[in-house]
Amino acid sequence: MIKKLLSLFLTFLVIGAIVITAINIYMCNSVKNQLVSENSSFEDVDCILVLGAGVKNGQPSPMLSDRLSEAVFLYKVNASSRILMSGDHASKSYDEVNAMKKFAISKNIPTSHIFMDHAGFSTYESIYRAKEIFKAKKIIIVSQEYHLYRALYIANALGIEAVGVSATKRDYGGQLIRDIREVLARAKDFGKCIIKPEPTYLGEEIPVSGDGNITND
């Protein structure tokens, strides 16, 4: 009996690994042509979407700093006139988005051109809210390359026209663990893109064509 159960468990484990691998290959291949250079020609882009990646003592992590620097560069070459900072601000003690906005302001980006999504608790929720709350139809997503495949796939599934610009500027500590987690996250969000659940919060529309200061807290 124990041998049969072990055999069944191993069978399910192998099938699960095959399914997860297939999803990863399909997801990455389906969006690889949407990864573009920062020097590409961009037209009529509603906003540059920066996905949160951790803060410590009010300062962006190295990974997030690189995302923000890339977004600032894109803004200054006129890829878009709006930046949407989307991250976790679930409590007063943890605030990604204000740290992100402060970084951009320090690089001389007008505060009115910076929007904050305080409820971007996941990649899926950030992109869902970019469309439904901030009314963005065409976006540039800025993140590290390993993360862009999933983000772009979600954007496609939700009906957003998107390209991704990589903010991979250096080696990041703990990347192997992130790569493993990303494999599982792709499989999870593949399912979400089929079901399309609403994010934790929706709310009133805040079009990125307006004044970003409306998102200040």
Side-chain angles (χ1 to χ4, degrees), residues 2-216:
I2 293 176
K3 287 184 178 180
K4 287 184 178 179
L5 287 174
L6 182 59
S7 178
L8 188 62
F9 172 76
L10 290 173
T11 300
F12 279 122
L13 198 63
V14 170
I15 292 172
I18 291 171
V19 170
I20 290 172
T21 300
I23 287 172
N24 272 261
I25 292 171
Y26 169 72
M27 185 177 287
C28 293
N29 284 339
S30 70
V31 302
K32 62 183 180 181
N33 291 334
Q34 291 171 247
L35 271 67
V36 301
S37 164
E38 63 182 12
N39 297 313
S40 300
S41 177
F42 302 102
E43 294 182 5
D44 302 321
V45 175
D46 295 320
C47 69
I48 300 159
L49 173 62
V50 186
L51 300 170
V55 295
K56 186 175 182 180
N57 298 323
Q59 297 300 314
S61 67
M63 185 172 278
L64 182 53
S65 292
D66 288 346
R67 295 182 189 185
L68 293 166
S69 293
E70 185 60 43
V72 168
F73 172 84
L74 290 168
Y75 175 91
K76 290 187 175 181
V77 298
N78 299 315
S80 178
S81 64
R82 297 292 187 273
I83 302 177
L84 174 57
M85 308 296 194
S86 186
D88 188 344
H89 187 190
S91 66
K92 291 183 179 179
S93 61
Y94 188 77
D95 181 357
E96 289 184 342
V97 291
N98 273 290
M100 294 163 76
K101 181 162 185 171
K102 286 176 184 176
F103 181 101
I105 291 172
S106 74
K107 304 300 181 181
N108 300 315
I109 306 298
T111 181
S112 61
H113 289 183
I114 307 166
F115 287 74
M116 293 185 289
D117 178 5
H118 301 265
F121 303 133
S122 69
T123 304
Y124 176 85
E125 292 189 288
S126 291
I127 295 171
Y128 195 115
R129 285 174 53 82
K131 179 185 179 184
E132 297 299 330
I133 300 299
F134 297 94
K135 312 311 292 181
K137 298 178 181 178
K138 186 175 182 180
I139 64 176
I140 301 169
I141 303 175
V142 175
S143 187
Q144 277 66 33
E145 183 174 339
Y146 82 97
H147 184 214
L148 281 174
Y149 296 100
R150 177 161 58 102
L152 288 167
Y153 185 85
I154 293 169
N156 290 349
L158 296 178
I160 302 174
E161 186 178 348
V163 294
V165 173
S166 174
T168 304
K169 307 294 184 184
R170 49 183 147 169
D171 293 329
Y172 305 99
Q175 188 57 42
L176 177 60
I177 299 299
R178 277 190 289 271
D179 288 337
I180 293 170
R181 290 174 59 192
E182 186 65 17
V183 167
L184 300 175
R186 287 173 188 156
K188 177 194 70 175
D189 282 347
F190 179 83
K192 276 191 172 182
C193 287
I194 295 172
I195 301 169
K196 295 183 175 64
E198 290 188 353
T200 306
Y201 300 109
L202 280 174
E204 296 181 4
E205 295 179 359
I206 310 171
V208 287
S209 56
D211 187 337
N213 287 318
I214 196 173
T215 62
N216 293 349

